[in-house]
Amino acid sequence: MAQSQAYYVPHGSNWPIVGAVGLFLLMLGLSTTLNGLGFGPVLAWTGVAVVVVMLVGWFSTVIGESEGGTYNQQVDRSFRMGMTWFIISEVMFFAAFFGALFYARQMAVPWLGGESNNFFTNLLLYPGYENTWPTNGPGAIGGEYEPMAALGLPALNTAILLSSGVTITIAHHALKDNNRSVLNWGLFATFMLGFLFVTLQAYEYHHAYEAMNLKLSTGIYGSTFFMLTGFHGLHVTLGATMLVVIWVRCLKGHFTPNHHFGFEGVAWYWHFVDVVWLGLYIFVYWL
Amino acid sequence: MSNNRIRKLVAALAAALPALVFAPLAKADWAVNMPKGVTAISQEVYGLHMLIFIVCCIIAVVVFGAMIYSLLRHRKSLGAEPAKFSHSTKAEIVWTIIPILILVGMAVPAADTLIRMEDTRGSDMSIKVTAYQWKWRYDYIDEGFGFFSSLAPEHNRARQLDSGIDPATIPNYLLEVDHPLVVPVGAKVRLLLTASDVIHAWWVPDFGGKKDAIPGFVNEFWFKPETPGIYRGQCAELCGRDHGFMPVVVHVLPEDEYQAWLGDQTAGLTFQDAAMTEETVAMVPATATTAVEEVTVEWNMDYAMATGEKLYNANCGACHQINGAGMPPTFPAIAGSPVATGDVAAHVDVAVNGRPGTAMAAFGPQLSDEDLAAIVTYQRNAFGNDTGDLVTPDQIAAAR
Amino acid sequence: MSTAAATHEHHDHHPTGIMRWLTTTNHKDIGTLYLVFSLTMFLVGGSMALVIRAELFQPGLQLVDPGFFNQMTTMHALIMVFGAIMPAFVGLANWMVPLMIGAPDMALPRLNNWSFWILPMAFSLLGMTLLFPSGAPAAGWTMYPPLVLQTGDAFPFLIFAVHLMGISSVLGAINIIVTIMNMRAPGMGLLKMPLFVWTWLITAYLLILVMPVLAGAVTMLLTDKYFGTSFFQAAGGGDPVMFQHIFWFFGHPEVYIMILPAFGVVSQVIPTFARKPLFGYDSMVYATASIAFLSFIVWAHHMFTVGMPLAGQLFFMFSTMLIAVPTGVKVFNWVATMWKGSMTFETPMLFALAFVFLFTIGGFSGLMLAIAPADLQYHDTYFVVAHFHYVLVPGAAFGIMAAVYYWLPKWTGHMYNEKLGKLHFWLSAISVNVTFFPQHFVGLAGMPRRIPDYSTQFADFNMISSVGAFVFGFSQLLFVYVIWSCARGGQKATDQVWEGAEGLEWTVPSPAPHHTFDTPPVIR
Ligand code: HEA
Ligand code: HEA
Ligand code: CUA
Ligand SMILES: [Cu+2]
């Protein structure tokens, strides 16, 4: 690869150490909160604030450099690869929870029901317990509950998230065609759909807790359901926030038809969130 | 370093290493290898172990031999000129195929043994083994009785930090229990393993393996001892503070002696146990929550305090300490504890139901009403707690 | 080949003093930070090992309470694994990968700084638990529930520290992949890269694929303890063993994360001192990739005793045994590289040779452990402890030491003291065997691991092992001294340093200037 200009190597930056200290405060705060110490939440929120300041500062620098034309093709490629591998690491994070779900459904619960080499598990410890899904286990942890249906709100949410995948693709094409108003509207629609999704999800959680007695503590079913959908919801929130940032940048006239890594990075992230939801919808709600 | 010196060093090392390795072998009482054991399976496992070991040794001789030869001959100081070759497809194919063949040769007998180890069918008797922090409980489910088995008291005393007791003076240090598991020789014994708190593992090397005891699940393990004798092992999965102090001891008896032992158990008499001391004998009727008829005694303070002390020392002392001082903050003191000097019902509740999520187990399922009443009474009146409360078995029963 | 790096001091307005190190984005500075941090952690983790060995010197409890002993075991392992070995390799990658592929720096320099500084934060979080009244985590580095859920106040600190270590590793790995894939000088094709770069590329893939899984696993521990979930509780339909599956899905690749870069180092060092090209370069690359692939399908060999169905045990036994094949290819290739070479035995070479010998011994015991029926005897005994210390101490740690001696002249511009280096080697190589070889014997004879006190029949070998450990530990102070004095001064090193050394890193001056390859070098 012929390099027309040198690879940009920044010299010194304060943001990473700020970020490291922020993370430290945040983790220390969370730990002390869980230990029931009064100053815990204060520490944790301070940590969040420092991290937010760091993110704003760091990204402003990068955006400034990008708009200032500091980055050549090669730097752009670095960012793309970096984002790709970051998303892959996120996929693996979800894989752990999907793994837990599959393990529980295919192994643990059948075993508690006496399958495979666990005849005595069932006979001695849980006589009468049968392998079913959903379940809150032989101890019926969390008591009577109503499982989440696949139709209704979740189906609607699937439609919402899928259409947000369409709108962001429309926006992307518009960006490539230099059609700024379609770009801005497409992005606006995408994050609005994203926030709508989160709102509906919050409503669903509320309903689950209040009306269905389905909680995080409802045995393995509640655990896997809320952990998977919860971490997904968190990622949607993050993604939508990133979309807002990109949207503002678009309004300010950032990005060009062939130089817009920031946009694409967020778009990839959004597609990733989309795909995870599909997995969730199929394995958590439907099957 | 000059060449000569290096060569001398290598020679010295070459001479010293086997000496280091084999000198111990000469001393008979230094176990350096896996025991052959006393079951067919354990002997098979031993055979497998030796097979892989020898195969590895042979490969090592070949690989290290080539390497050492090269190190000695192909050195610059001897004027060796470097060759230029950098690959050889033929050699690489050979040294991929040969290891594969060797591995297949090991995998086949290994799989064969494993399949037999997993076959628990056709067992002559089943014993349910429940692991607790830090003792075992054996339930002879066919005969309908059971008992706890924990580290023998004199071992327990000797193993305390700065006990001043020399472990060498104690035979089978740390490998002795108050009540061993007793089985007849030649019977295929199936163990049904589970745990009440955390994961433990039941292991007697002479029986050829170990199996985890997992809370909420039942694992199966079997052995068929061919020779009578006393076999010792230990818990083999980290289970907390006293993981090192929950041995497994199995007495394998000839059939008639086993029957006699069994008769004693079911007849409500005490255990025939060579290792039992005065102290444990005194504890037996209480800890052994067997089908045994309890001698009914009048429930009074003196009796409760006397039995309570022994039971406390055996069951609670590991954590709350014999002197009641505990090991704060993980293990709270009983002396002056707000619970042990406060509301009786709350105290009974902790003892019976435990504190979920902490090491404080529910003792309700482990001990009888009388035992628990005695312990709680003892806790409320010993160590200067002096509440004067006499807790009755009925109060315990009510809290279950 | 261009002599790179006319030093561009003009555009550098480096902050000085502590701020330089806090804010640096230079791969060499960050590499140094990683290496110094790792050495510190090695001493701290090693000191804990010495507490363990001191208590095990003789039967009976003399020094510490059993609870504290378990804290030492747990912290020792966590610190060594995540604080000493892994960061040392990341430090080596930071220093050497750009130099070896002709890149001006790492691809994402600011991120690079962040990855490093997260680490001291993680270890502060973990380390402060030692001061808690209820103590540090004590459930083993494997953190099995339900035991780990009994941890006191230290519990959330443990979980969040592991999260931070994970974030640090993943960000570091991303940076390394991007650097290798995007920053190679023109002409540096993938199959021209030095093996150290290759092994690190594959290691980085492993890191990205498994560190997040560990994060997921410990997150479930956290919610099980504080938020009432039932992942690892049978009553709610979960299974404590599920944690072990998820943990070892991370854990087994993790052990290769700790050995593959060492394979890379040895593959650099041996050809240099044998003055002969590496034998079977291509098959080395493929073998590394096969090991990485296989590492994902063998995890349950740590769990033969949990009561898996038979088919599972057989599958994991066979797949584990297979790993011996590509690993064997590597060992044979190293031997073939030495064969008919023209060898000299400077300190890096000595460590590399000891690596080949002793790692192979560790590999053999690994293979023995892979035989499921035999593992039912070996499991959770000192035989396992002996196995993994053979692959980790004279394996991973010796690999790092070889690398440090090999590249130290390039980093500092001075030759280290060869006499002391050799002394360090011989002391370490002998004492490491004295420490860990007898552990095979006690393990086979029936001594479980993770116990503070043991039956008298194991006394003699434990005593030998403890003596060895102290000699080994104190020899490392010599290592520290050699590094320190080399950084301070000494005989001036040439650019090529070693007669047989080949590769881009030996074309830049010693010490390597702050900026190298601002204009990419041209490769033949
Ligand atoms: C750097 C780290 C590292 C490495 C490289 C390895 C390498 C291997 N390990 Fe090890 N292992 C650990 C670190 C490592 N291990 C750790 C830390 C633990 C314990 C964790 C804990 O519980 O805390 C452990 C535990 C462990 C167990 C579980 C034991 C138990 O708890 O019961 C097993 C079981 O299969 C195992 C197997 C292997 C195998 C087969 C290899 C193979 O990769 C080895 C392959 C190499 C060779 C075989 C030698 C060279 C080959 C030849 C010369 C070719 C010819 C040879 C033949 C055909 C035999 N290891
Ligand atoms: C990753 C690498 C790694 C390394 C390098 C080591 C290094 C060592 N380990 Fe490690 N060890 C593990 C990983 C490692 N270990 C793991 C994963 C476990 C399992 C834990 C578990 O069960 O959960 C374990 C467990 C373990 C045990 C078993 C404990 C038990 O089961 O209870 C023992 C016992 O001998 C031991 C000993 C040693 C020794 C003697 C060293 C020596 O090599 C250490 C060398 C010593 C030093 C380097 C000290 C130098 C310092 C000084 C001389 C003082 C100066 C001090 C300052 C200036 C601060 N280790
Ligand atoms: Cu019970 Cu270890
Ligand atoms: Cu493994």
Side-chain angles (χ1 to χ4, degrees), chain C residues 138-464:
Chain C
W141 81 289
T142 49
M143 302 178 281
Y144 285 1
L147 180 61
V148 75
L149 302 177
Q150 292 182 354
T151 308
D153 291 346
F155 184 78
F157 289 79
L158 169 69
I159 302 298
F160 291 122
V162 170
H163 277 141
L164 287 185
M165 294 168 203
I167 293 173
S168 164
S169 299
V170 167
L171 296 181
I174 290 176
N175 217 334
I176 289 168
I177 294 182
V178 177
T179 305
I180 297 174
M181 296 313 278
N182 193 35
M183 306 284 287
R184 295 189 315 272
M188 175 64 76
L190 279 179
L191 282 175
K192 276 194 182 167
M193 297 193 311
L195 254 158
F196 178 68
V197 180
W198 255 116
T199 51
W200 238 119
L201 178 65
I202 291 169
T203 304
Y205 290 136
L206 288 182
L207 277 168
I208 288 183
L209 293 179
V210 302
M211 291 308 291
V213 175
L214 174 67
V218 297
T219 305
M220 289 184 247
L221 286 180
L222 188 81
T223 56
D224 262 17
K225 181 155 168 99
Y226 292 113
F227 303 104
T229 56
S230 306
F231 289 107
F232 310 128
Q233 195 200 347
D239 183 352
V241 173
M242 177 162 92
F243 177 85
Q244 302 184 17
H245 282 286
I246 304 176
F247 179 87
W248 288 115
F249 182 83
F250 144 82
H252 188 82
E254 166 70 18
V255 306
Y256 291 111
I257 287 167
M258 291 189 281
I259 205 68
L260 292 184
F263 287 170
V265 169
V266 170
S267 305
Q268 302 297 132
V269 171
I270 290 183
T272 297
F273 296 96
R275 293 169 180 73
K276 189 163 155 286
L278 181 69
F279 187 91
Y281 173 94
D282 292 14
S283 63
M284 283 299 221
V285 173
Y286 299 134
T288 312
S290 322
I291 294 174
F293 169 75
L294 286 173
S295 74
F296 284 104
I297 54 165
V298 302
W299 74 86
H301 63 215
H302 296 272
M303 303 164 55
F304 285 134
T305 61
V306 300
M308 258 186 295
L310 178 64
Q313 296 194 42
L314 288 173
F315 171 80
F316 286 108
M317 171 167 84
F318 296 149
S319 59
T320 305
M321 294 174 76
L322 262 187
I323 294 196
V325 176
T327 318
V329 167
K330 298 201 133 254
V331 172
F332 302 139
N333 281 346
W334 289 322
V335 175
T337 306
M338 291 180 244
W339 192 257
K340 291 202 180 339
S342 170
M343 278 185 272
T344 51
F345 302 94
E346 287 85 347
T347 314
M349 181 63 162
L350 290 176
F351 273 105
L353 293 175
F355 175 95
V356 178
F357 272 113
L358 301 176
F359 167 79
T360 304
I361 292 181
F364 287 147
S365 57
L367 192 78
M368 295 173 75
L369 291 168
I371 308 292
D375 183 66
L376 296 188
Q377 286 282 29
Y378 308 138
H379 179 69
D380 259 325
T381 67
Y382 262 78
F383 190 78
V384 177
V385 176
H387 156 64
F388 67 73
H389 282 95
Y390 260 83
V391 282
L392 283 168
V393 183
F398 274 22
I400 293 163
M401 290 173 190
V404 168
Y405 283 109
Y406 186 52
W407 284 311
L408 201 53
K410 180 56 63 189
W411 299 337
T412 62
H414 308 293
M415 295 307 285
Y416 59 86
N417 183 330
E418 187 67 46
K419 269 217 181 76
L420 287 184
K422 285 212 168 83
L423 181 64
H424 170 224
F425 169 76
W426 285 110
L427 279 174
S428 303
I430 294 170
S431 59
V432 87
N433 285 292
V434 176
T435 311
F436 296 114
F437 211 82
Q439 295 185 357
H440 291 111
F441 301 142
V442 281
L444 289 175
M447 175 166 163
R449 59 192 281 207
R450 297 167 162 174
I451 57 173
D453 190 5
Y454 49 84
S455 185
T456 44
Q457 59 184 309
F458 309 125
D460 302 289
F461 286 125
N462 270 294
M463 194 172 278
I464 298 174

Side-chain angles (χ1 to χ4, degrees), chain C residues 2-178:
Chain C
S2 84
T3 28
T7 32
H8 292 271
E9 292 304 333
H10 53 95
H11 58 200
D12 287 347
H13 316 287
H14 285 301
T16 46
I18 179 93
M19 280 316 277
R20 164 178 172 197
W21 297 104
L22 288 179
T23 64
T24 181
T25 49
N26 180 282
H27 72 102
K28 301 185 182 81
D29 283 355
I30 296 176
T32 306
L33 283 172
Y34 266 112
L35 288 168
V36 170
F37 176 77
S38 139
L39 184 60
T40 316
M41 286 293 122
F42 182 63
L43 294 180
V44 174
S47 309
M48 291 172 177
L50 295 186
V51 174
I52 296 173
R53 286 308 336 162
E55 178 57 62
L56 293 176
F57 183 69
Q58 61 186 60
L61 284 182
Q62 293 85 24
L63 300 171
V64 297
D65 169 85
F68 186 73
F69 182 91
N70 291 345
Q71 296 174 27
M72 285 292 106
T73 300
T74 307
M75 296 291 277
H76 158 68
L78 288 171
I79 288 176
M80 284 300 197
V81 170
F82 294 102
I85 303 291
M86 291 170 67
F89 283 129
V90 182
L92 292 173
N94 254 295
W95 250 104
M96 300 319 296
V97 166
L99 286 181
M100 290 175 128
I101 61 172
D105 203 302
M106 295 292 280
L108 306 163
R110 279 182 285 236
L111 194 68
N112 202 14
N113 174 299
W114 202 32
S115 327
F116 172 74
W117 280 108
I118 290 174
L119 265 189
M121 305 299 163
F123 282 92
S124 315
L125 217 51
L126 186 63
M128 70 172 72
T129 60
L130 280 166
L131 306 175
F132 292 1
S134 56
W141 81 289
T142 49
M143 302 178 281
Y144 285 1
L147 180 61
V148 75
L149 302 177
Q150 292 182 354
T151 308
D153 291 346
F155 184 78
F157 289 79
L158 169 69
I159 302 298
F160 291 122
V162 170
H163 277 141
L164 287 185
M165 294 168 203
I167 293 173
S168 164
S169 299
V170 167
L171 296 181
I174 290 176
N175 217 334
I176 289 168
I177 294 182
V178 177

